[in-house]
Amino acid sequence: MKGEKRHINWEQQWLEGQISSAEARNIAPDADQIEHIERLVEGSKNLDIPRVLSNSQAWEALESKISFSSPKVVSISRRNWIIGIAASFILTLGAFFLFNTNSRTITTALAETREFNLPDGSKAFLNAGSSLSFNTDWSEQRTLKLDGEAFFEVEKGKAFSVITPFGKVEVLGTSFNVRTRNEQLTVVCKTGKVQVSNSSGTQKTVINPGQMVKVKDGTIDDPITVNATRADVWRSNEFDYESMPLREIFEEMERIFDVTIEHDLSEDELNASSSGTFSTKAIRDAILTIELTMGYDAKLEQGGKVVRFSDK
């Protein structure tokens, strides 16, 4: 029992900042445990726990987020060790840090899309390789943070805000597509009105249905007219691109199909723009579209995980 108490004490002291990392490494019975705790810190940040959990369910959710790469034997059982570390977190940072039921993050992997309901009944559709974070208590405000691409169908009510690294989108009740790729923000309004501002808030513009606006390098471009019905075709397993550089098309193909694209094309060829549509269900359809519209040869290699483009 004294050994366990000492084990928990040094971990708590380290997490509370009472001792340095170097001192903790000297005290730790096994140097590998320091690495495990650091993994716990990172793993706990990504916990996505339902609003109502029993204690056993909470621990199971915690354990499922932790990866142990070393099978070394320690002086206490694996589960007791995890509980000891978690107890230190609760003492140090409070239960809010680990089990904050008001905070939620939704992510999508490559080649994955997700649809879900927001706390007010609004809908969000998250495209591949994207992340959306929000507070589930929307009694005061409706605010989300987006990295990637998402389409929103917003219920009427208080101001609805989407914050991105490159700017902010605000609406009351509408539908619109938000995209943050290649260091820029692109917003297309499908219904209602949308206000877009740059990250510093020094520029703002309002767009109507059928308009698109881009924010890059802190500057908002003039709105342009687009086909609003195509704003969210990715939800129907299509990728629609207009005047898009080939470099960006390749990046989207890698994200959509979870493949690696190799080529021997020049910078001028990569910067050349093209327009078209291909199915996101079949990579061969995407390859054929590029071949026909841009005149390149393409081959699928390594079991369909690598696509090589070259001049004919």
Side-chain angles (χ1 to χ4, degrees), residues 179 233 237-241 244 249 252 256 276-278 280:
R179 175 186 173 86
V233 292
N237 301 307
E238 291 182 77
F239 178 65
D240 198 7
Y241 56 99
M244 179 177 287
I249 297 173
E252 287 300 320
I256 292 169
T277 301
F278 58 73
T280 59

Side-chain angles (χ1 to χ4, degrees), residues 187-189 192-196 205-209 211-213 223:
V187 183
V188 179
C189 180
K193 290 185 177 183
V194 177
Q195 177 176 278
V196 180
T205 190
V206 175
I207 57 175
N208 297 302
Q211 288 187 313
M212 177 180 74
V213 70

Side-chain angles (χ1 to χ4, degrees), residues 116-161:
F116 54 94
N117 293 322
L118 295 170
D120 65 335
S122 298
K123 292 183 181 295
F125 305 82
L126 202 58
N127 207 348
S130 303
S131 174
L132 188 67
S133 302
F134 55 94
N135 191 309
T136 57
D137 182 5
W138 280 11
S139 58
E140 297 298 328
Q141 58 184 356
R142 303 188 293 175
T143 302
L144 309 92
K145 292 183 179 180
L146 172 69
D147 184 8
E149 182 172 15
F151 182 82
F152 299 93
E153 293 178 350
V154 181
E155 292 290 323
K156 291 183 178 180
K158 299 176 182 179
F160 184 101
S161 303

